[in-house]
Structure formats: C-alpha cells, structure tokens
Amino acid sequence: MKHYYVWITFLFFSSGFLSAQNIQQIDSINAILVQNSSLKTDSLLVIFKNNLKAAEQIDYKKGIGEAYKNIATIYGYEADSKKRVEYNLKAIRIFEENDLKPQAANLYGEMGYGMKRDNMERAQYYMNKGLKMAEEGNYKEVLDRTYNNYGVLKEMQGQLDSALYFYKKGLAIVEERNYTEGLPYSYSNLAGVYGQMGNYDLSREYFYKAKAIREKINDRKGIAENYTQIGEVYLAEGKPAEAIPFFEKSLPIARKEDYRFLMQYTYQQLSEAFKQMKQTDSALYYFEKYAVFKDSISSLETSKQIAALEVEFETEQKENQILKQRAQLAEKDLEVRRKNLYIYGSLGLAIVLGLLGYLIYSRQKLKNKQLQKESELQIALAKIETQNRLEEQRLRISRDLHDNIGSQLTFIIMSLDNLSYLLGDAGQQVKERIAAISTFTSVTINELRDTIWAMNKESISLEDLQARVAGIIDKAESTGTETQFRVEVDSIQEDFEFTALEGINIYRIIQEAVNNAIKYAQANRVDVMMQVDRDVFDVRITDDGRGFEEAQILSGNGLNNMRKRAADLNANLQIHSNPGAGTSIHLRKPLS
C-alpha cells in the first residue's frame, strides 16, 4: 500500500513539472518578435499554429491568446485583412474572458493600428479602447506602443501636431524602460511627421538613427521599411532620382523576408518616382508589379490606373512616330503621305497589340508560378506535419521502453538480489544461477538504454558514435581489465550523420567485437578505427588475442548477429582470425 501512495505522489509532482515546462516553452515561442525574426512568414505561421495546438492541449489561456495574436500579425504581413481581424478577435475574446487586461489593452491598440487603411473610424474606436485600458492600468509596456500607433492614425488624418505629441509621449516611455527594440519605431514615426512638415533633413536623420539600431538587432523587416521611408522623403522633396536607389535597396530585403505588404507599397512608390521623371515605360513596369500584390482594391480601379499609364506610354511612342513622319512627308506628295500614315498607323497598332499580349502573357506566367509555389508549400507543410507526428510517436515509444520495461527489469534485479540474500549460505548452485540471471538482466538494461539512445535521435553523428564506443571502453576498464584500447576517427565530412537505425547497428557490431576481444580472446590491446571517405564508411576492430579457427566463425551466435546487422546495413563484413595471431573485423558500408 505504501508503494501505491509513493507512485501517486511521484506522478502528481511529475505532471506539475511537465505542465510548467510546457507553459515555459509556449511562452518562449510566443515571445518571438515577428518583426525581428529571420524566418519567413510561412515558416512562422507553421510554428505559431503548432504552438496554439500545444497551448490548447493543456488549456493554457494566455498561451492560446498570444498564439492567436501572433498568427493575426503574420496574416497582416501577408496582406490578408480578413484573417488578421478574425484571429485578433479570437485573441481578444480569450484575454477578456480570463481577465488578461495588459494583453487585451495591447491587442486593442494593435487592432486599431492594423485597420488604419481599411476603416479609420473603427481603427480609432479600437485604438481609444486600448489606450484607455492601458492608461487606467498604467501598463508602460503597452502605452509606449499604443501612443506611437495612435500618432500614426493622427498623422494619416493630417493632424501632424497631434501626431508629434503622441510620438514624443511614446518615445519618453521607451527611453524610460530602456527598451532598445522600441526606439526604431519612435524614431521612424517622428521622422515621418518631420518629413510631412517639410523638414526633410531632420526627417532623414531620424530614419537613419532607426536603421542603425535595427542593423544592430538584425531587424531585417525594419531595415527594409527604413529604406523605403528614406526614399519617400526624397520623393516628397521632389528628388525622384535620389529616391529610387533607396526603394531598390528595400525590395530584395522585403522579398527575402516575405514582407508582401512592403513590397506592394515600394513598387507603388517606384512607379510614382519614374512617373515624376516622365519615364512612363518604367512607371508602367513597376505599377504592374504593384498591382500583382495589391489585393485590397477592386480589379476595376486597378484596370483604370493601368490603362492611364498605358495611354501615357502609347502617346509618347505615337508622338515620336509623328515627328519622323513629318520629316518624310515634307518631301513627298499627298498620296505618299497618306500611304505612309496608313503604314505607320498599322505598325503602331501592331506594336501596341504585341505589347498588350506580352503583358497579359507575363501576368499569367507570374500567376502560374505563384500557384506552383503555393502547391509546393502545401506539400512541404504536409511533410513537416508527418515528420512531427513520427517524431512524437518515436519519443512516446522510447519513454514507454524507459519507464515501463526499464523499471520492470530494475525491479527483477532488486528481487534477485533480495532472494540471494535470503538464501544465505544454502543452495550455492541456486545462488550462482540467480547471479547469472541478475547479470544477464543488467546487460539487457544496458542494451535497452542503448536502443532508447538511438530512438531519441533523428540522426547519429560520428561524434555520437565515438562517445558511445568510449562508453563501452569505460565500462570495460572499470571492471579491472588490463586490456589497452585505442579509438581513432578520421572523417573528411565534418557534418556526416547516420540514420538512427544505421547508427545502432554499427554500434552493436563494434560492441560485440570489443566484448569478444575482452571476454574470449584475452587480448592485451584492442584498436577501433572509424573512417569516412567521400563514398565509404570504414570500421576496423583489431586485437592481439588468442584468435580462433576460421571454420568456427559460423558457429558463434555473436558473429552471426554481427553478419545479420551488416546485411541490414547493406554493408560488407569480413572476419579474419588465426590461433595465436589475433582477430580483425572489417565493416565497409557504401554511402549513398
């Protein structure tokens, strides 16, 4: 009965410990800053959705809400407004139902900020609600962001003095908290207002200060934003040629970070810059790229804007053609001029039709590429999900082996020891048999541990294998054997790895060879040498022991087991031995 209560107590504390571990891991993942992350948005989406499942499994409300919020943020970067609002509302519901006021206040502010381009009235409603909650609770870590975001709403409505007031309030709290990651946002917001006020030099100065901090903390998305913002200042100053290089620096970073909204906006700014320079072909090119990304406006409006740029482009070409025709018509009569006008008019129409056909073909080709990438992404995500499930199953089986079979074997050893003690001096033969069973059980436990070690790894490196072989030698030396050992590893591929099944089979072959050299060959020296070449993995185990007749090789269970494991590895195993001349075992496995 005592044992029963002990196990209940152990399980209770174990459950509490594992739950605390899970909560800590969930909070750690939710704390990943999407803006500063080096991962693409698609990868982050998989991570946060898996984290949401983990939080739901243990009913961890704060973790569930934060996961919803992070998923909404990622959809915002992907310009999916519908899903962004959907997941934000789910998070708000969790925070309010569980009295998580700082989280609710912060998210209300974030929702208002996210809706600023879609619905300014609703954006101000959510922003005021979040600001009121944060001020009532004096949540400094929420107020700095909310003041800054509220300033953005004021700036978009042309209330520049109010925007400057809230930006400065936000900066004061950021500096008070010594929050380095928050400084670039405050600097960028101040820079934007100064630019609109016509103080272009001060505006660029603040944008450069923000970019310098983001480079230190490796905020790639923020760096891309600052490049676009500096370009906007030059564009507002009427210097489109100086703005273009900054837009071009922003695009590759935004593309690598999968920051689709910024790519869309930067393409629009490039189109405007080239338009101001009257380079209508480049303006049309970048507007087409902008239109591909812009999914929040109607297709009719997009078509109108594209048509306007096409008219400008065609007009410019036709004006050039007319100038050429006038020079030729001056030397020809009326009939020739009419004929030339007809020819050139037809040619111009053909060029325009050809250009339109090429644009339609390019757009369709780009759409097909996007569909192909989406399909490849779905396949990759399915593979990741399958691998995760296999990993969970493998870990569950290894825990069952360790917790159930391992504990039962340990109990058998303890029972055999107690039984041997109770027998006293009587039944010497029985005690010897009990000792043999106990020894066999201990060996079984060690082999079980080796198996669990392999199962707990997706792959086994040469270093792992070398460490495990060193463990065999340490055990042998602890028994008092006088045999000397030498282990050498030579590899030209530093990152080479085996699968878990290959690793355990190679380890078992080495273990059997070393044990045979110690127990039966009575060797004074045993050498284990492993080598990885470009095409082959080589293992040689040699000893200077008694050796044996070659004809006896087939009769040994240990040697047969070694051959079977080699066959499972698709490897070649050679065993050479002569009485008094030692034994050499050579395993050679081709690498695919």
Side-chain angles (χ1 to χ4, degrees):
M1 197 67 175
K2 288 182 179 179
H3 293 299
Y4 176 80
Y5 287 117
V6 168
W7 275 106
I8 290 294
T9 304
F10 172 75
L11 290 173
F12 175 78
F13 282 111
S14 296
S15 174
F17 175 73
L18 290 174
S19 179
Q21 265 193 330
N22 290 340
I23 288 174
Q24 185 178 7
Q25 185 178 5
I26 291 167
D27 286 341
S28 176
I29 294 174
N30 277 333
I32 295 174
L33 290 175
V34 176
Q35 182 81 356
N36 295 0
S37 175
S38 61
L39 298 174
K40 288 192 174 183
T41 53
D42 293 333
S43 301
L44 285 169
L45 192 60
V46 173
I47 291 171
F48 287 128
K49 284 189 175 182
N50 287 335
N51 205 40
L52 172 62
K53 291 179 183 177
E56 289 174 338
Q57 286 176 353
I58 61 174
D59 198 30
Y60 177 35
K61 301 297 185 183
K62 179 175 177 289
I64 294 171
E66 292 287 357
Y68 279 140
K69 182 177 78 86
N70 285 327
I71 293 170
T73 301
I74 293 170
Y75 280 127
Y77 280 118
E78 293 185 345
D80 192 334
S81 302
K82 180 181 177 182
K83 287 189 176 180
R84 183 194 70 221
V85 173
E86 175 189 343
Y87 278 92
N88 271 331
L89 291 176
K90 287 182 178 181
I92 281 288
R93 191 176 297 111
I94 291 290
F95 291 148
E96 290 189 332
E97 289 176 355
N98 294 276
D99 200 31
L100 297 168
K101 292 182 179 179
Q103 289 80 7
N106 179 59
L107 187 51
Y108 272 125
E110 293 289 333
M111 287 178 64
Y113 183 77
M115 298 176 70
K116 61 185 180 294
R117 290 183 177 84
D118 304 325
N119 189 331
M120 182 59 75
E121 183 180 350
R122 297 298 294 169
Q124 288 201 184
Y125 166 77
Y126 284 121
M127 187 70 74
N128 284 321
K129 194 167 184 177
L131 190 59
K132 181 180 179 182
M133 291 177 67
E135 288 177 337
E136 288 176 352
N138 195 28
Y139 306 134
K140 294 289 182 68
E141 69 279 6
V142 177
L143 280 172
D144 60 356
R145 292 176 62 87
T146 310
Y147 280 139
N148 271 298
N149 291 341
Y150 197 59
V152 174
L153 267 60
K154 293 296 183 183
E155 182 181 342
M156 293 178 68
Q157 296 176 79
Q159 302 173 21
L160 300 184
D161 291 333
S162 296
L164 200 60
Y165 169 78
F166 284 107
Y167 289 155
K168 288 181 177 179
K169 288 192 71 171
L171 176 60
I173 297 177
V174 169
E175 291 175 338
E176 177 187 342
R177 293 178 57 215
N178 196 24
Y179 180 40
T180 303
E181 287 80 0
L183 285 172
Y185 298 100
S186 294
Y187 289 154
S188 295
N189 289 336
L190 286 169
V193 172
Y194 287 131
Q196 292 186 62
M197 289 179 169
N199 195 339
Y200 301 120
D201 291 336
L202 185 59
S203 175
R204 279 190 287 270
E205 178 184 337
Y206 271 99
F207 278 133
Y208 276 116
K209 287 173 70 174
K211 187 171 75 71
I213 295 174
R214 282 168 167 162
E215 286 171 345
K216 287 182 181 179
I217 63 177
N218 197 31
D219 178 3
R220 304 296 297 167
K221 294 183 178 71
I223 293 169
E225 286 181 351
N226 285 145
Y227 276 130
T228 295
Q229 289 161 340
I230 293 169
E232 286 183 281
V233 176
Y234 279 114
L235 199 60
E237 199 175 359
K239 298 178 179 179
E242 296 180 45
I244 288 171
F246 289 95
F247 295 142
E248 291 175 340
K249 287 180 181 179
S250 173
L251 279 173
I253 302 174
R255 186 180 297 110
K256 186 174 181 181
E257 298 299 319
D258 201 23
Y259 195 169
R260 300 176 191 177
F261 178 79
L262 183 63
M263 290 176 67
Q264 166 199 318
Y265 184 74
T266 306
Y267 282 137
Q268 184 187 29
Q269 296 304 303
L270 274 167
S271 177
E272 179 62 27
F274 281 112
K275 184 178 178 181
Q276 288 185 17
M277 295 173 67
K278 300 190 181 304
Q279 295 183 18
T280 53
D281 53 345
S282 296
L284 177 61
Y285 171 78
Y286 282 108
F287 190 84
E288 283 291 327
K289 284 185 167 289
Y290 158 72
V292 170
F293 281 88
K294 187 169 178 58
D295 59 353
S296 60
I297 59 173
S298 67
S299 59
L300 178 61
E301 185 65 21
T302 303
S303 299
K304 287 181 180 178
Q305 294 183 23
I306 293 173
L309 283 171
E310 286 176 344
V311 168
E312 288 185 56
F313 180 64
E314 291 170 13
T315 301
E316 181 181 349
Q317 282 192 327
K318 287 180 179 179
E319 286 175 352
N320 292 334
Q321 291 173 3
I322 290 171
L323 289 174
K324 292 178 182 179
Q325 290 171 358
R326 282 178 179 175
Q328 296 171 353
L329 290 174
E331 302 174 355
K332 297 181 180 180
D333 57 21
L334 182 62
E335 186 65 27
V336 175
R337 283 184 295 174
R338 288 178 179 176
K339 187 181 291 186
N340 283 343
L341 181 62
Y342 175 79
I343 293 173
Y344 284 113
S346 300
L347 181 60
L349 181 61
I351 292 173
V352 171
L353 291 175
L355 178 60
L356 289 174
Y358 175 76
L359 291 174
I360 294 170
Y361 168 78
S362 298
R363 186 181 299 176
Q364 185 62 38
K365 187 176 180 181
L366 179 61
K367 182 178 179 181
N368 291 340
K369 284 184 178 179
Q370 289 175 335
L371 291 173
Q372 183 180 358
K373 287 181 179 179
E374 289 175 2
S375 176
E376 290 172 354
L377 176 61
Q378 290 176 356
I379 293 171
L381 291 176
K383 287 182 179 179
I384 291 171
E385 187 67 26
T386 302
Q387 289 172 354
N388 288 339
R389 290 179 181 174
L390 290 173
E391 178 66 14
E392 290 172 3
Q393 181 113 359
R394 184 164 56 82
L395 291 175
R396 181 182 62 77
I397 293 170
S398 67
R399 284 197 298 269
D400 287 344
L401 287 172
H402 182 273
D403 295 341
N404 297 331
I405 299 177
S407 61
Q408 291 171 8
L409 290 172
T410 303
F411 176 77
I412 291 172
I413 292 174
M414 292 172 61
S415 299
L416 289 170
D417 290 341
N418 290 335
L419 183 60
S420 177
Y421 175 79
L422 292 173
L423 287 173
D425 295 331
Q428 185 62 31
Q429 185 177 2
V430 174
K431 290 177 68 177
E432 290 176 355
R433 292 296 300 275
I434 290 173
I437 295 172
S438 179
T439 302
F440 175 78
T441 307
S442 297
V443 171
T444 303
I445 288 177
N446 289 332
E447 292 183 350
L448 178 62
R449 287 172 179 164
D450 291 336
T451 302
I452 293 172
W453 162 76
M455 289 185 67
N456 279 332
K457 291 180 173 290
E458 291 184 0
S459 60
I460 296 175
S461 66
L462 275 179
E463 291 181 358
D464 294 335
L465 195 57
Q466 183 180 6
R468 211 66 188 176
V469 172
I472 300 173
I473 293 171
D474 288 342
K475 287 179 184 178
E477 289 177 345
S478 67
T479 62
T481 181
E482 295 181 359
T483 305
Q484 294 183 349
F485 300 91
R486 181 166 67 98
V487 179
E488 288 187 4
V489 176
D490 182 18
S491 174
I492 64 172
Q493 301 182 45
E494 294 180 359
D495 57 348
F496 178 76
E497 291 182 337
F498 300 100
T499 66
L501 182 59
E502 289 174 340
I504 192 62
N505 277 329
I506 293 169
Y507 169 74
R508 291 295 190 207
I509 290 172
I510 297 172
Q511 182 184 44
E512 182 70 22
V514 172
N515 287 340
N516 287 345
I518 297 170
K519 292 169 63 176
Y520 305 118
Q522 297 179 359
N524 294 319
R525 181 181 179 86
V526 177
D527 293 337
V528 179
M529 286 175 283
M530 292 180 279
Q531 182 179 18
V532 177
D533 203 337
R534 289 184 176 82
D535 302 315
V536 176
F537 170 70
D538 238 29
V539 181
R540 292 179 185 271
I541 307 102
T542 58
D543 66 68
D544 61 354
R546 295 187 302 181
F548 52 86
E549 293 289 346
E550 292 279 346
Q552 296 177 357
I553 292 178
L554 297 174
S555 62
N557 289 331
L559 300 179
N560 284 337
N561 287 338
M562 290 166 66
R563 283 196 171 88
K564 184 177 181 304
R565 291 184 184 278
D568 291 340
L569 286 165
N570 291 323
N572 180 35
L573 181 70
Q574 295 180 356
I575 303 173
H576 299 293
S577 181
N578 288 308
T583 301
S584 171
I585 296 175
H586 181 197
L587 177 69
R588 185 175 177 83
K589 172 176 170 49
L591 302 178
S592 56

